[in-house]
Amino acid sequence: MVAEVPWTLLACLAYSGNVCIGTASLRGRRVPRSWHGRVFLVALALTAIAAATSFPEHGARGAALIVALVPLLTLPFLGRPVRRRPSTHIIIGLVAAPCFAVALLLWAVAAF
């Protein structure tokens, strides 16, 4: 049952949602900052689950997701203070985007 859940797709959607919420809050929209933090934790958890469930059948996908976890795990420590220097936070957060794109592509090739 766990293997049938599209964890990679869910992780990519959560990461994309987090980027959208972060962008909206940075651009002055009325988005509570707590949403950004909560969706970040969901994206982090889903990425870890997707990476763990990818092995051993889909090692390349799992490796891409593990590489994506590295900047996500360092983001709360290296991306501060966000208010004064948002560019550092943005760059560190977007470093994971190519890894998610590769993992999603590998998932789509295996699924279809």
Side-chain angles (χ1 to χ4, degrees):
M1 170 89 175
V2 173
E4 296 174 7
V5 176
W7 293 109
T8 302
L9 178 62
L10 293 174
C12 290
L13 288 173
Y15 173 75
S16 299
N18 194 30
V19 169
C20 290
I21 290 171
T23 303
S25 67
L26 185 65
R27 307 225 3 122
R29 305 286 190 258
R30 291 185 179 171
V31 178
R33 294 187 69 209
S34 62
W35 287 12
H36 186 52
R38 290 175 185 153
V39 175
F40 173 76
L41 293 176
V42 169
L44 197 63
L46 287 174
T47 304
I49 292 169
T53 58
S54 293
F55 291 108
E57 293 89 15
H58 306 286
R61 184 188 334 157
L65 291 167
I66 287 174
V67 171
L69 277 173
V70 173
L72 293 181
L73 289 171
T74 61
L75 191 58
F77 305 105
L78 299 179
R80 299 256 181 210
V82 179
R83 293 252 188 217
R84 285 187 290 163
R85 299 183 68 195
S87 60
T88 305
H89 187 81
I90 293 166
I91 290 169
I92 294 171
L94 290 179
V95 165
C99 301
F100 278 107
V102 168
L104 187 62
L105 181 67
L106 292 172
W107 172 81
V109 167
F112 300 105

